[in-house]
Amino acid sequence: MRADDLILFSQVFELGSFSKAAEQNNLTNSVVSKRVARLEEQAGVQLLYRTTRKLTLTEAGRALLQGAKNVKQATQEAADSVSGFGEKVTGHIKMSVPTISGDLLLADAVAEFCNTHPGLTVDMSLDNRFVDLVDGGYDLVIRTGYLEDSSLIARHMLDSQWVVCASPAYITKFGRPAKPHDLLNHNCLQYAYQTTGASEWEFKDLKRNQIIRVSGNFSTDNATALRKAAMGGHGIAYVPRCLVYHDLNNGELIDLFPEQVGKRLGIYAVYPFTRQPPKKVKMLIEHIKNRYLEIAHYF
């Protein structure tokens, strides 16, 4: 089945007539009729009941309509993602990003974007709080976690997997926990930024994920400080994998439960609700997403 035929089929039903779909697409009624007939031939079933007053979907037509709408939406999103890329980008963008992604990727990516578009300036703050976009005057926010405010639009970038890790020195001195419940007998360094609670560590289970409530003598809201404490052999840390990716690869930290950690959070580009975000914001989001995907293995 051709994508353009599926889109035309969805338009025929949404507009309620072949003639309106023909007019919208600068086609003749006979061309529209032939293309819908081609779909029916390919599907091997009738998709529409036609009367002089209205069009009604058959059972097969209802099943195909949802797929046709998905094709239409995907086509529109693909067109929207590149609209305006050939035009000059100017103005100012105020944005907020989380500290880990800011240090790892976004500072370089955003500065690169500014150099590509000399007429553009960006004010980027690093903040783990979910700032108020409207009151703070933000055009764009990059955040990890869950979005509850329906007045905002979120575009998914990728997912961030968390890990439980410790240094070889800590393991030599205190032993390696064999299962998540063994963490109750270890010094667990706590990341105060966690939305679910710094002492509540999530692990996969057969039926549903389980929460282990750990304890320890050190807590911080700074990811870099937490990483240094873990590398210094002072305890076990529960952190996003991207923060310690290189440390795990070179053996300075050990991934204790590589298949069992249940925490996996989406990273989103968030902006205030509008029918279409400004071209400069849309282009910056696309640039950031591409840079994230280049190092997706970190996450």
Side-chain angles (χ1 to χ4, degrees):
M1 293 182 179
R2 291 172 43 169
D4 56 345
D5 284 351
L6 288 167
I7 293 171
L8 185 61
F9 167 67
S10 70
Q11 290 175 329
V12 167
F13 178 73
E14 288 166 4
L15 296 172
S17 75
F18 281 68
S19 58
K20 288 181 181 178
E23 182 181 350
Q24 188 174 86
N25 292 278
N26 294 318
L27 300 172
T28 63
N29 287 359
S30 63
V31 168
V32 174
S33 182
K34 286 177 182 178
R35 285 174 57 179
V36 172
R38 180 168 61 192
L39 271 182
E40 291 181 321
E41 183 180 349
Q42 291 169 336
V45 291
Q46 187 174 353
L47 301 174
L48 289 165
Y49 295 123
R50 305 166 180 82
T51 68
T52 54
R53 292 189 174 184
K54 67 175 182 176
L55 298 173
T56 306
L57 289 172
T58 65
E59 185 178 359
R62 287 195 297 272
L64 186 64
L65 181 64
Q66 186 56 54
K69 286 181 176 180
N70 291 341
V71 171
K72 183 180 178 182
Q73 182 180 355
T75 303
Q76 185 61 51
E77 288 176 355
D80 289 346
S81 70
V82 296
S83 66
F85 271 57
E87 303 171 28
K88 188 175 181 181
V89 177
T90 59
H92 182 72
I93 295 175
K94 183 179 180 182
M95 64 184 301
S96 173
V97 305
T99 56
I100 296 176
S101 286
D103 291 338
L104 177 67
L105 168 74
L106 293 176
D108 179 67
V110 173
E112 177 187 51
F113 187 79
C114 290
N115 286 334
T116 306
H117 304 283
L120 181 74
T121 59
V122 176
D123 174 9
M124 186 180 80
S125 64
L126 272 69
D127 194 334
N128 285 330
R129 296 179 302 110
F130 200 109
V131 296
D132 189 309
L133 274 75
V134 178
D135 287 350
Y138 289 95
D139 302 294
L140 175 64
V141 168
I142 306 297
R143 277 295 171 267
T144 302
Y146 308 101
L147 183 69
E148 296 179 354
D149 191 340
S150 60
S151 68
L152 304 174
I153 301 297
R155 181 176 175 191
H156 182 257
M157 303 278 109
L158 79 171
D159 290 325
S160 175
Q161 176 67 50
W162 285 50
V163 297
V164 173
C165 57
S167 70
Y170 179 89
I171 294 172
T172 299
K173 187 173 182 180
F174 298 101
R176 177 171 180 161
K179 55 186 184 298
H181 274 97
D182 293 344
L183 292 169
L184 299 175
N185 300 316
H186 285 266
N187 186 40
C188 294
L189 311 173
Q190 296 168 55
Y191 187 21
Y193 168 54
Q194 292 185 69
T195 54
T196 54
S199 62
E200 297 177 343
W201 294 9
E202 185 177 354
F203 293 90
K204 296 176 184 176
D205 206 348
L206 292 176
K207 293 184 178 179
R208 62 176 183 177
N209 287 2
Q210 61 173 329
I211 299 295
I212 305 296
R213 288 178 172 78
V214 302
S215 61
N217 58 16
F218 179 73
S219 174
T220 178
D221 62 358
N222 184 278
T224 301
L226 192 70
R227 171 179 169 266
K228 288 182 177 179
M231 292 183 67
H234 303 298
I236 297 175
Y238 184 59
V239 292
R241 180 166 59 195
C242 60
L243 175 68
V244 294
Y245 176 80
H246 291 296
D247 307 320
L248 295 173
N249 276 357
N250 62 29
E252 292 187 71
L253 288 174
I254 306 298
D255 188 347
L256 300 178
F257 304 104
E259 303 297 330
Q260 293 178 265
V261 175
K263 189 164 187 175
R264 187 174 179 85
L265 298 177
I267 299 177
Y268 298 92
V270 185
Y271 52 90
F273 182 85
T274 55
R275 188 169 183 82
Q276 280 292 337
K279 177 180 61 179
K280 59 192 176 185
V281 173
K282 187 162 55 176
M283 291 176 65
L284 179 54
I285 291 173
E286 194 67 24
H287 178 74
I288 288 172
K289 180 166 186 176
N290 288 335
R291 288 294 300 273
Y292 266 123
L293 293 179
E294 286 174 5
I295 60 168
H297 54 285
Y298 281 44
F299 294 85

